[in-house]
């Protein structure tokens, strides 16, 4: 489907203006649109998982722990595959609210790809270097969209997601270093060309929903406050987008149609995407592990 075809379907959750911005800029942000009761429940679930992390000494299939994690001072970098960690997150991923937003941006037939809950801790937090998402999980087209919910207020100081406007229409940058090692980030010598100086901070109050196209150059800086910045992320695509490599962070639900119907044919966009490492053989870890190897 072209952006024009998608926009011609009536909006479900987002405004027409927000949908247009997504297609012209490669991202959009809707301040505090998460229903308050739902937001409260998500915040509670997040708090419960952080509490549970106190029992752990090392990362496991769900918890990606920072190097200084302890029971007294938990440091969870990411809750992996929340849709498998608790049924609530799958209910949320398949809710009218989230699949409606996804349909507003990819068309009426929506496929689920993956989910994660990223924390950015006070005292630096994890910088997420400039990158595009699609080089890690290429698809037959560029419909995949990452939809994020800010669980708490996000200001320029808490390390908001920042996006380069219009970069989804530009080139896909290599996410390998000059020695052909995967780094999950754009090489520093190409950051200028990627336009990172023009990046726009997506700030907003708790409950703000952001959506980022899979080609959009984005990243996030340090958290300079004493508050943690939790960001719940879900990835969806149009039903006619098919991954052509193993998923780096598969869930038991990856590939499920969560709205509309499955596709009889793939939509193939001829613009090429570089091949990522073979995640099925090598494993993935997380963006933090890849980027910290640099
Ligand atoms: O959590 C963040 O600030 C950035 C997340 C992100 O871009 C990613 O995980 O791909």
């Amino acid at each position: 489907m072209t952006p024009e075809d998608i926009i011609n379907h009536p909006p479900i959750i987002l405004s027409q203006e927000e949908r247009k911005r997504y297609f012209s800029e490669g991202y959009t942000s809707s301040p505090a649109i998460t229903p308050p009761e739902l937001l409260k429940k998500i915040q509670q679930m997040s708090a419960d998982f952080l509490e549970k992390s106190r029992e752990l000494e090392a990362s496991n299939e769900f918890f990606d722990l920072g190097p200084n994690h302890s029971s007294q001072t938990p440091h969870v970098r990411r809750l992996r595959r929340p849709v498998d960690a608790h049924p609530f997150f799958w209910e949320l991923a398949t809710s009218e609210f989230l699949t409606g937003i996804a349909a507003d941006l990819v068309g009426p037939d929506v496929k689920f790809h993956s989910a994660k809950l990223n924390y950015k801790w006070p005292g630096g937090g994890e910088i997420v270097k400039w990158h595009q998402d699609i080089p890690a999980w290429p698809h037959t087209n560029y419909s995949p969209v990452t939809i994020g919910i800010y669980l708490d207020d996000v200001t320029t100081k808490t390390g908001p997601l920042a996006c380069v406007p219009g970069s989804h229409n530009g080139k896909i940058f290599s996410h390998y270093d000059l020695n052909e090692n995967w780094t999950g980030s754009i090489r520093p010598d190409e950051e200028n060309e990627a336009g990172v100086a023009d990046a726009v901070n997506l700030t907003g109050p708790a409950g703000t929903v952001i959506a980022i196209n899979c080609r959009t150059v984005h990243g996030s800086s340090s958290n300079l406050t004493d508050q943690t910045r939790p960001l719940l992320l879900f990835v969806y695509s149009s039903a006619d987008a098919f991954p052509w490599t193993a998923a780096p962070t598969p869930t038991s639900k990856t590939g499920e149609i969560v709205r509309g119907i499955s596709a009889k044919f793939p939509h193939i966009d001829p613009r090429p995407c570089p091949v990522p490492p073979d995640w099925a053989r090598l494993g993935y870890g997380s963006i933090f592990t890849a980027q910290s190897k640099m």
Side-chain angles (χ1 to χ4, degrees):
M1 267 193 166
T2 64
E4 294 71 36
D5 293 333
I6 296 169
I7 289 246
N8 279 337
H9 283 80
I12 303 161
I13 306 285
L14 299 182
S15 68
Q16 205 61 346
E17 195 187 318
E18 288 166 333
R19 299 169 84 197
K20 285 186 184 154
R21 189 179 323 135
Y22 172 78
F23 288 112
S24 71
E25 306 295 303
Y27 62 86
T28 188
S29 166
S30 310
I33 60 162
T34 308
E37 278 311 303
L38 181 59
L39 178 62
K40 225 196 260 162
K41 176 78 186 155
I42 302 170
Q43 289 165 332
Q44 186 55 53
M45 292 299 305
S46 165
D48 291 351
F49 273 97
L50 288 183
E51 199 49 42
K52 222 183 250 178
S53 78
R54 291 179 189 275
E55 297 160 15
L56 300 175
E57 285 178 4
S59 299
N60 65 18
E61 63 167 327
F62 295 125
F63 290 91
D64 176 0
L65 303 179
N68 299 323
H69 172 85
S70 70
S71 57
Q72 288 82 22
T73 50
H75 181 165
V76 181
R77 293 192 295 199
R78 171 179 284 184
L79 178 63
R80 302 171 170 136
R81 303 193 287 116
V83 295
D84 289 326
H86 196 285
F88 166 76
F89 289 106
W90 182 239
E91 274 168 40
L92 178 58
T94 54
S95 65
E96 175 63 18
F97 179 61
L98 275 179
T99 65
I101 294 173
D104 279 336
L105 302 175
V106 308
D109 302 318
V110 181
K111 191 185 281 182
F112 174 78
H113 181 266
S114 56
K116 57 200 173 192
L117 172 47
N118 283 354
Y119 294 94
K120 204 184 265 288
W121 287 79
E126 278 71 33
I127 293 177
V128 177
K129 294 176 185 159
W130 299 108
H131 67 284
Q132 293 159 301
D133 286 335
I134 200 70
W137 27 264
H139 281 60
T140 56
N141 63 52
Y142 297 102
S143 64
V145 57
T146 297
I147 298 176
I149 304 178
Y150 285 153
L151 273 54
D152 291 329
D153 295 352
V154 172
T155 67
T156 51
K157 298 233 158 56
T158 45
L161 245 274
C163 293
V164 177
S167 52
H168 63 312
N169 289 326
K171 79 175 200 186
I172 298 183
F173 289 86
S174 171
H175 287 54
Y176 291 91
D177 67 16
L178 292 172
N179 297 319
E180 291 302 319
N181 300 306
W182 175 262
T183 60
S185 57
I186 294 171
R187 287 204 322 262
D189 60 296
E190 293 204 308
E191 284 183 356
N192 231 0
E193 185 187 350
V196 304
D198 299 327
V200 171
N201 283 324
L202 307 187
T203 54
T208 293
V209 171
I210 59 174
I212 303 174
N213 179 260
C214 62
R215 294 178 67 106
T216 301
V217 174
H218 64 284
S220 63
S221 53
S222 306
N223 179 359
L224 304 174
T225 70
D226 56 2
Q227 306 292 315
T228 303
R229 189 228 60 184
L231 168 59
L232 180 57
L233 297 160
F234 293 92
V235 181
Y236 301 91
S237 72
S238 59
D240 60 9
F242 291 84
W244 47 263
T245 60
T249 53
T251 75
S252 67
K253 311 291 188 188
T254 296
E256 278 200 26
I257 300 297
V258 290
R259 192 175 181 109
I261 56 170
S262 57
K264 301 256 182 316
F265 295 93
H267 168 201
I268 299 177
D269 186 318
R271 290 173 295 171
C273 182
V275 180
D278 181 355
W279 305 126
R281 208 163 48 83
L282 300 172
Y284 177 71
S286 76
I287 195 167
F288 305 122
T289 357
Q291 294 193 346
S292 66
K293 279 193 201 133
M294 281 184 82

